[in-house]
Amino acid sequence: MQDALETTVEERRGKTRIGATLNGSLRFGPELTTDCEVLDVSVTGVKVQLTDTVPLNSDVTLILPGSVHFGGEVMWRHGLMVGLKFRNSPEKIAERLSGILNNDDMRQLHS
């Protein structure tokens, strides 16, 4: 049953996800920010562990090392873990991620 569930989720995502440990912050609302840790990443979104709650369907900005910003939306939430869908095209996201991730990780994202 678990294998079927994971397959369904992977098919729905449609893009390769890689494990990542990146510290950053998530900006939402007019002036609200919470620290976060990116747990996995793809060119369409990320899974993030937060230090404070963020409402479902919120428009957010993920800020990663080097002041790299990614606009997105909170698509799901389980406690302090959320899934963000990026607003920009996968090509634009890949370009931004290339300054953060190593070459092996970038190759995996493009596979």
Side-chain angles (χ1 to χ4, degrees), residues 10 13-18 41-45 105 107-111:
E10 287 304 317
R13 288 180 180 149
K15 299 291 181 186
T16 301
R17 286 193 172 286
I18 59 167
V41 63
S42 79
V43 293
T44 58
D105 288 342
R107 275 192 288 279
Q108 281 185 297
L109 282 180
H110 290 292
S111 63

Side-chain angles (χ1 to χ4, degrees), residues 27-84:
R27 187 171 57 217
F28 60 103
E31 297 180 18
L32 302 172
T33 302
T34 184
D35 291 334
C36 67
E37 179 181 9
V38 173
L39 303 175
D40 72 29
V41 63
S42 79
V43 293
T44 58
V46 291
K47 179 167 59 172
V48 178
Q49 181 72 42
L50 303 172
T51 58
D52 199 0
T53 61
V54 174
L56 189 61
N57 301 318
S58 294
D59 286 327
V60 297
T61 301
L62 175 64
I63 305 166
L64 294 178
S67 293
V68 180
H69 292 61
F70 299 89
E73 179 182 354
V74 178
M75 300 303 291
W76 59 264
R77 184 181 74 195
H78 298 289
L80 293 176
M81 191 171 306
V82 298
L84 306 179

